[in-house]
């Protein structure tokens, strides 16, 4: 059967212009009169012409596509980051492809190789593991523009855009000392040292509260529930619990309430991230909010500029969070 797909040649003939003129009108690559552009666009609409994105990408030797690999999408924080970055890219006419590693560095590497095989414009990686993901990040950076997001591995030739986790813990420390007082029992519930964000948040907490007990598990609601049970089993009946992520904080709140304790009257729970699961907290969760929109805009800027230089020490790509929300304890 004859291929009846409308081509740019058909559009040019219908509009009564040259092929080059039709191409310029459809791509906006060069200035032209508005009347001429409108005539070409009207013909394209009437003929139901669809731009061949693959052909254009091959001609330009790059795709207007960005690949994002995340550790997992079960974590609502990563799902929220994905949504924010997708909206930012879409607004700039980039398509975002997403690969979830499911917590596996092998699946993470496969996803990155698949992106590179598609000749994507850039690869954005939220590394699964601070050490084990290093080879994948380095390999990607040798093939295409590579940007680390939220988490990072050291010694990789890839830009980093993320949150200043130490500053976030400084804000929590100020709040604990000034608003709640230092005499209440204080606990930290975090995640293992597989990720830079978990490590930095633990280090930031211990810098201010070196003697406070810490409990490390993973970034999950279930771990928060388990940690709450363990704290209560120690005979603790009130105090402050600092969580390394909002998803852990929500688990803590659930575990405490299930055992008859009031939040925030008996226990004050403080989270970290401020996007995604924080919206489900009632009363509002006191948390460190990451400026995700600004972070996504910086990633877009790097993609548009095509820069592959590392910006690990550049404060413009390491954003300071703010303390938001919360409901003070009441009688």
């Amino acid at each position: 059967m004859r291929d009846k797909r409308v081509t740019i040649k058909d559009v040019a003939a219908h509009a009564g212009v040259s092929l080059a003129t039709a191409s310029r009108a459809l791509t906006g690559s060069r200035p032209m009169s508005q009347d001429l552009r409108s005539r070409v666009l009207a013909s394209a609409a009437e003929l139901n012409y669809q731009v061949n994105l693959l052909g254009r990408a091959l001609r330009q030797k790059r795709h207007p596509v960005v690949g994002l690999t995340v550790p997992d999408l079960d974590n609502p924080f990563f799902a929220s980051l994905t949504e924010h970055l997708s909206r930012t890219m879409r607004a700039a006419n980039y398509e975002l492809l997403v690969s979830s590693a499911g917590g596996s560095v092998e699946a993470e590497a496969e996803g990155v190789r698949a992106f590179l095989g598609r000749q994507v414009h850039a690869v954005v990686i939220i590394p699964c593991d601070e050490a084990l993901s290093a080879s994948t990040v380095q390999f990607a950076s040798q093939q295409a523009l590579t940007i680390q997001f939220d988490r990072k591995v050291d010694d990789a030739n890839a830009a980093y855009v993320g949150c200043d986790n130490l500053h976030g813990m400084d804000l929590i420390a100020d709040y604990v000392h000034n608003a709640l007082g230092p005499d209440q029992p204080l606990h930290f519930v975090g995640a293992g040292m597989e990720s830079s964000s978990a490590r930095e948040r633990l280090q930031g907490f211990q810098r201010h509260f070196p003697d406070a007990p810490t409990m490390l598990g993973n970034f999950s609601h279930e771990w928060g529930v388990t940690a709450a049970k363990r704290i209560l089993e120690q005979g603790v009946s009130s105090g402050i619990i600092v969580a390394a992520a909002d998803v852990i904080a929500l688990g803590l709140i659930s575990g405490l309430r299930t055992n008859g304790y009031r939040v925030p009257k008996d226990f004050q729970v403080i989270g970290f991230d401020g996007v995604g699961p924080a919206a489900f907290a009632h009363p509002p969760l006191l948390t460190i909010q990451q400026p995700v929109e600004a972070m996504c805009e910086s990633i877009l800027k790097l993609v548009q500029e095509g820069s592959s230089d590392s910006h690990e020490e550049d404060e413009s790509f390491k954003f300071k969070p703010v303390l938001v929300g919360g409901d003070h304890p009441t009688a």
Side-chain angles (χ1 to χ4, degrees), residues 154-204:
D154 292 329
D155 302 324
N157 185 28
Y160 168 69
V161 175
C163 173
D164 188 337
N165 293 300
L166 296 180
H167 179 71
M169 282 299 163
D170 291 343
L171 296 176
I172 289 177
D174 289 342
Y175 181 82
V176 169
H177 286 304
N178 297 329
L180 299 178
D183 297 330
Q184 298 187 56
L186 178 65
H187 290 76
F188 177 85
V189 179
M193 297 297 98
E194 293 82 12
S195 73
S196 61
S197 55
R199 174 179 53 78
E200 290 172 357
R201 292 171 195 181
L202 173 62
Q203 291 173 342

Side-chain angles (χ1 to χ4, degrees), residues 45-280:
E46 185 175 339
L47 297 175
N48 195 27
Y49 171 71
Q50 301 293 322
V51 177
N52 186 339
L53 294 177
L54 178 59
R56 177 184 293 180
L58 291 173
R59 289 191 299 273
Q60 295 176 344
K61 297 184 179 179
R62 66 182 184 183
H63 289 235
V65 175
V66 173
L68 168 67
T69 178
V70 301
D72 67 80
L73 287 173
D74 287 333
N75 186 326
F77 173 66
F78 294 137
S80 181
L81 287 187
T82 300
E83 176 61 26
H84 279 82
L85 186 59
S86 177
R87 289 202 298 261
T88 300
M89 290 295 166
R90 188 184 309 117
N93 297 318
Y94 286 91
E95 180 183 357
L96 185 71
L97 300 181
V98 180
S99 174
S100 175
S104 165
V105 292
E106 291 80 11
E108 177 181 65
E110 290 175 3
V112 168
R113 285 194 294 269
F115 288 152
L116 295 174
R118 291 173 177 263
Q119 297 181 315
V120 295
H121 191 99
V123 175
V124 180
I125 301 178
I126 304 176
C128 286
D129 190 285
E130 187 173 11
L132 299 180
S133 296
S135 59
T136 296
V137 175
Q138 188 61 30
F139 173 74
S141 69
Q142 293 169 349
Q143 308 295 320
L145 170 64
T146 301
I147 303 165
Q148 301 183 90
F149 187 22
D150 180 61
R151 299 176 172 185
K152 62 181 177 178
V153 301
D154 292 329
D155 302 324
N157 185 28
Y160 168 69
V161 175
C163 173
D164 188 337
N165 293 300
L166 296 180
H167 179 71
M169 282 299 163
D170 291 343
L171 296 176
I172 289 177
D174 289 342
Y175 181 82
V176 169
H177 286 304
N178 297 329
L180 299 178
D183 297 330
Q184 298 187 56
L186 178 65
H187 290 76
F188 177 85
V189 179
M193 297 297 98
E194 293 82 12
S195 73
S196 61
S197 55
R199 174 179 53 78
E200 290 172 357
R201 292 171 195 181
L202 173 62
Q203 291 173 342
F205 178 85
Q206 291 180 324
R207 183 169 65 181
H208 294 282
F209 308 104
D211 299 324
T214 61
M215 304 172 64
L216 303 182
N218 54 59
F219 288 115
S220 71
H221 182 276
E222 292 75 17
W223 164 234
V225 173
T226 298
K229 180 180 178 182
R230 292 181 184 177
I231 290 172
L232 296 176
E233 288 175 344
Q234 297 172 7
V236 180
S237 58
S238 65
I240 307 164
I241 307 177
V242 176
D246 292 342
V247 66
I248 298 175
L250 293 185
L252 285 164
I253 292 172
S254 178
L256 292 169
R257 286 179 172 166
T258 297
N259 285 278
Y261 290 90
R262 296 162 296 181
V263 179
K265 184 176 180 181
D266 297 323
F267 284 93
Q268 173 81 54
V269 177
I270 305 174
F272 203 115
D273 287 330
V275 296
F280 299 103

